[in-house]
Amino acid sequence: MHAPTPETTRRPTDPDGPTGRLAAWLAGATLDEIPTAVRERAAHLVLDGLGCALIGAQLPWSRTAVEAVLTLEGTGDVPLIGWGRTTSAPAAAVLNGTFIQGFELDDYFPAAPLHSASLVLPALLSTSAQLPAVSGAEFLRAAVLAFETGPRIGLALHGPQMLTRGWHSGSVFGTHAAAAASGALRGLDPAAFEDALGLAATQSAGLMAAQYEAMSKRMHHGLAARNGFYAAGLAAAGYTGIKRVFERPYGGFLSTFGEGHDPDATQVTRGLGEIWHTSGIAVKQHAAMGGLHPAVDAVLALSKQHAFDTQDVTGIRIEVPEAIYHHGWWQPERPLTTIGAQMNIAYAVSVALLDGQVGPAQFTPARIDADDVWQLIDRTTVAQVDTVQDPAWAQPGYNTRVTLRLRDGQELTLALNQPHGGPDDPLRNDEIRAKFRTLTADVIDTHRAARIEELTLAIETLPDLTELVALLAAPAGGVLG
């Protein structure tokens, strides 16, 4: 029998480096070590992600994705949320992630922008389908470890800078979150986890120009979920990945994606087991890119505080930091796609002023092309400012000021450091439950929704996931018809 070559030898991790320390923590952390409040919050984040998947499953672009992917991949034994159909585990990860990201309603992490549920839940569901049995407690532990991993890698890359440079940040460092989720369920040891992180890193990708008109923006996190699922599965089978992937000076993850931007590898493991980033994951109120939410909240607040008619608004000035300016502003033109509308700050602010909300009804083709919306868009200017707004927020990237100029010469101004739902003003758990009920009201029956909510919030006690998966897999309705 021949001795194994270096390429096929499983080497131990370097316990002193960021990759090795993270790998060891992912392999060894127990559910009991996770604070009760963090576990409870994680269950609510899972609930929010499932609500987003159910409303996203039958959107027009989701239907296109399903037909295309199933044509490529065929059938399998892993359910698609809201479809009553099955496909292969990798394809299910792509599509379930696409559904969660499908309507810009899913969570985000402001300081290192990524959408955790769209990465973590698809990887967990696809991995669970390949294992003999997975308990709810195992599922929740894996979810928390993954919720912790994605933000850490993003912080090491100074996440908002990735958006400024044109990367879709979450799909770049989201592969690691998905690999952590799948690897935790598979019970990878530290050496295998190092391989999984290296295999995830080499599959990272995502271009932010997809935001203007491409359906593919909806799929980026789903592709990252699939890639993380593959990374953990390959590692579990003994396939090796890049060693010390975060600290390699040539061709490593941080050195390459962070070139010229002074990446900080210490963020990968800072406060492991003590600082819980799960608690900082923001849950959205509006169906738009997270960086637009402070401006939306500002105009909604101004509308409540002052009596004026939108016909009297002669000008809207929005001042935002660099990352939001690059990510959320370009001069829109008709026809504007739904994805473009959900990413453009002038559109979001205009419909917020006119309709008092930014939800599914604001993104029908008829509403997007309405003359009253475009009249306000034409009166909007957006400026990049490098000074911190008042009141200030210590985290970069989300300080926003909105000024409305009225016909009588009045100027109404409000600055917000973050929206309701941000890290310092998070949605309460009861608000997350209310959001889930609102999202699902038009796409599944109330009994089914109530049972999904009940099972998800009690997930730590479930002996297995059979009933929950079956409830998720049944067909859902379409919110846009």
Side-chain angles (χ1 to χ4, degrees):
M1 184 175 181
H2 295 289
T5 65
E7 289 77 15
T8 60
T9 301
R10 177 63 55 87
R11 299 198 304 261
T13 60
D14 172 6
D16 298 321
T19 309
R21 288 182 61 201
L22 179 60
W25 183 74
L26 290 170
T30 67
L31 188 63
D32 289 340
E33 293 171 7
I34 301 169
T36 301
V38 175
R39 302 201 306 261
E40 182 181 8
R41 187 64 171 185
H44 280 80
L45 292 173
V46 172
L47 181 70
D48 185 65
L50 295 179
C52 292
L54 287 164
I55 198 172
Q58 295 290 343
L59 293 166
W61 41 91
S62 296
R63 292 171 182 160
T64 300
V66 168
E67 296 307 319
V69 172
L70 266 61
T71 298
L72 294 168
E73 294 277 358
T75 59
D77 56 3
V78 182
L80 298 179
I81 294 173
W83 271 83
R85 298 176 70 176
T86 59
T87 186
S88 69
V94 172
L95 291 170
N96 286 330
T98 300
F99 302 160
I100 296 172
Q101 249 275 281
F103 217 173
E104 290 298 322
L105 281 159
D106 56 326
D107 64 64
Y108 65 107
F109 190 82
L114 83 167
H115 304 284
S116 295
S118 64
L119 300 157
V120 173
L121 300 186
L124 290 177
L125 292 170
S126 287
T127 305
S128 298
Q130 295 192 325
L131 299 176
V134 172
S135 70
E138 292 171 317
F139 187 97
L140 185 64
R141 170 186 173 269
V144 173
L145 299 186
F147 289 153
E148 293 298 313
T149 298
R152 291 176 176 279
I153 312 307
L155 289 169
L157 283 173
H158 313 297
Q161 291 184 14
M162 298 295 289
L163 292 175
T164 302
R165 295 165 60 200
W167 290 106
H168 192 173
S169 56
S171 59
V172 170
F173 44 81
T175 52
H176 304 93
S182 184
L185 279 190
R186 293 180 183 279
L188 299 186
D189 64 18
F193 248 124
E194 181 178 28
D195 286 319
L197 293 170
L199 288 160
T202 202
Q203 298 179 84
S204 294
L207 297 175
M208 205 59 256
Q211 71 181 32
Y212 300 115
E213 69 280 297
M215 290 180 183
S216 63
K217 194 272 178 188
R218 318 282 190 183
M219 192 177 279
H220 283 180
H221 280 62
L223 293 169
R226 177 204 61 189
N227 293 347
F229 165 81
Y230 252 110
L234 288 168
Y239 200 81
T240 59
I242 299 169
K243 307 296 182 181
R244 297 183 290 113
V245 71
F246 298 126
E247 53 264 48
R248 291 280 191 185
Y250 171 73
F253 182 79
L254 297 181
S255 61
T256 301
F257 280 107
E259 184 177 10
H261 287 256
D262 194 25
D264 180 7
T266 67
Q267 294 288 344
V268 174
T269 56
R270 188 173 74 87
L272 268 178
E274 298 173 359
I275 298 171
W276 296 96
H277 292 299
T278 299
S279 302
I281 294 174
V283 176
K284 290 183 179 179
Q285 291 193 109
H286 312 301
M289 185 262 285
L292 313 186
H293 287 213
V296 170
D297 277 5
V299 298
L300 292 175
L302 288 171
S303 296
K304 289 181 180 178
Q305 293 167 9
H306 304 275
F308 64 88
D309 191 291
T310 53
Q311 298 283 346
D312 295 328
V313 176
T314 59
I316 304 170
R317 177 175 173 81
I318 309 169
E319 298 168 275
V320 293
E322 182 181 32
I324 297 177
Y325 183 82
H326 285 282
H327 187 23
W329 174 241
W330 67 96
Q331 187 62 52
E333 298 178 356
R334 295 163 106 166
L336 184 63
T337 63
T338 303
I339 185 62
Q342 290 180 307
M343 307 299 290
N344 187 277
I345 198 167
Y347 181 86
V349 164
S350 295
V351 291
L353 270 174
L354 291 164
D355 300 347
Q357 62 178 345
V358 182
Q362 280 63 57
F363 296 100
T364 63
R367 191 67 187 122
I368 291 173
D369 200 44
D371 289 340
D372 60 343
V373 176
W374 285 89
Q375 288 168 3
L376 281 182
I377 289 174
D378 291 342
R379 299 170 191 168
T380 301
T381 59
V382 182
Q384 176 184 326
V385 292
D386 297 320
T387 55
V388 174
Q389 305 292 359
D390 182 24
W393 178 37
Q395 298 290 346
Y398 287 81
N399 297 289
T400 296
R401 182 187 302 275
V402 175
T403 302
L404 304 180
R405 187 173 64 252
L406 304 183
R407 200 175 306 279
D408 62 6
Q410 281 191 85
E411 287 195 346
L412 309 176
T413 298
L414 182 61
L416 287 181
N417 52 17
Q418 60 180 302
H420 180 44
D424 297 332
D425 184 22
L427 261 65
R428 302 183 310 272
N429 287 343
D430 66 296
E431 291 179 295
I432 295 175
R433 296 193 297 271
K435 175 187 171 184
F436 173 82
R437 294 164 194 167
T438 299
L439 291 184
T440 56
D442 293 329
V443 295
I444 63 174
D445 67 73
T446 55
H447 175 75
R448 178 179 165 195
R451 186 58 177 159
I452 291 171
E453 179 180 339
E454 179 184 8
L455 291 171
T456 302
L457 296 182
I459 195 165
E460 191 172 338
T461 67
L462 300 183
D464 60 63
L465 305 173
T466 304
E467 182 183 1
L468 178 59
V469 170
L471 287 166
L472 294 170
V479 71
L480 295 184

